[in-house]
Amino acid sequence: MESPLNTSILKRAQEKRLVEIYVHNLRDYSLDKHRRVDDYPFGGQAGMVLQCEPIDRAITFLKEQRTYDEVIYTSPDGETFCQYMANQLSLCQNLIILCGHYKGIDYRIREHLVTREISIGDYVLTGGELAAMVMSDAIVRLIPGAIGDEQSALSDSFQDNLLAPPVFTRPFDYKGWKAPEILLSGHEAKIREWELHQSLERTKRLRPDLQ
Ligand code: ADE
């Protein structure tokens, strides 16, 4: 199936056998003759709720083949995803990401099977799939070898709770817009010092909450 999981970094990392990503359809684990996986919520509110059985069967089936470090559930009420979590999760061997949908999943699954609940931000998506994609991209690119220049993941924004410094390339002078001279000085220590200063200034100005 053509999916964003098969493009860009995620595609390359899979081709290089650095990661394997499998997408499972909960309907395949339904025992219902119409392959239903949801039902009306107890209590009469609007919306549908994913049932325990297909989720439990899917997770049980997967756990029979591998040991999982985490069973992550994507939900707006989870802890907010951040670079530190991406770093942590990139060190794991196997992860299950369970995508919520509709009104959510039967809470008993969250109580008994889910080990970590993650939100990608304070807004509500239609389903957890996009959240799972966002997290997968952020996690997989940190696996050594996934991105061309391994050094570059370390200099990303947020790696030290700092925004990255601005970057420039040729030409030095474009329509009179000049790149900072210091970057062409060849003076390594001064360049690093300039970058750190830029990072600190940009973080203080744009994301004071990070400090
Ligand atoms: N599902 C719906 N909204 C979500 C969010 N903000 N983060 C993670 N999963 C979600």
Side-chain angles (χ1 to χ4, degrees):
M1 186 173 71
E2 189 54 47
S3 93
L5 290 167
N6 290 327
T7 60
S8 184
I9 299 278
L10 290 178
K11 178 177 185 183
R12 229 187 39 204
Q14 289 175 89
E15 283 171 355
K16 288 184 171 177
R17 305 221 147 269
L18 298 172
V19 65
E20 293 173 34
I21 302 177
Y22 299 101
V23 180
H24 303 272
N25 186 347
L26 281 179
R27 289 187 188 282
D28 296 340
Y29 298 89
S30 167
L31 293 176
D32 178 79
K33 65 174 182 287
H34 303 295
R35 308 203 328 142
R36 262 185 81 164
V37 291
D38 60 354
D39 209 333
Y40 295 97
F42 288 143
Q45 308 93 319
M48 301 298 275
V49 177
L50 288 175
Q51 294 169 289
C52 283
E53 188 170 67
I55 301 176
D56 182 27
R57 292 188 73 230
I59 292 176
T60 303
F61 173 76
L62 296 179
K63 282 182 174 173
E64 278 162 13
Q65 353 242 315
R66 290 180 173 80
T67 318
Y68 286 90
D69 301 88
E70 301 277 9
V71 178
I72 298 167
Y73 173 57
T74 60
S75 171
D77 54 15
E79 50 178 335
T80 309
F81 192 58
C82 64
Q83 191 62 37
Y84 176 73
M85 286 158 76
N87 291 350
Q88 269 187 335
L89 294 171
S90 78
L91 298 173
C92 293
Q93 282 303 307
N94 297 302
L95 298 171
I96 290 177
I97 305 181
L98 171 63
C99 302
H101 224 297
Y102 314 103
K103 269 223 108 38
I105 63 174
D106 191 304
Y107 201 76
R108 288 166 287 188
I109 293 291
R110 297 172 67 169
E111 288 175 322
H112 297 285
L113 295 179
V114 167
T115 60
R116 200 155 181 183
E117 303 188 328
I118 302 181
S119 162
I120 61 160
D122 288 343
Y123 39 82
V124 179
L125 302 166
T126 317
E129 291 82 359
L130 281 171
M133 304 277 308
V134 166
M135 291 192 285
S136 302
D137 187 283
I139 294 166
V140 170
R141 66 188 291 284
L142 294 171
I143 299 172
I147 49 180
D149 175 3
E150 282 182 39
Q151 200 49 39
S152 84
L154 295 176
S155 58
D156 288 338
S157 280
F158 305 115
Q159 273 307 352
D160 311 306
N161 257 9
L162 285 178
L163 300 183
V167 291
F168 302 86
T169 187
R170 288 184 292 180
F172 168 69
D173 186 340
Y174 178 71
K175 299 203 302 193
W177 306 339
K178 295 200 177 61
E181 305 252 2
I182 179 85
L183 298 177
L184 287 100
S185 67
H187 197 308
E188 189 72 15
K190 283 238 159 70
I191 294 174
R192 297 289 92 82
E193 193 184 317
W194 178 88
E195 286 176 341
L196 179 61
H197 182 267
Q198 290 289 319
S199 285
L200 290 166
E201 188 281 321
R202 281 169 52 76
T203 308
K204 191 168 168 208
R205 178 163 49 88
L206 301 168
R207 291 295 307 274
D209 56 300
L210 288 177
Q211 302 222 290

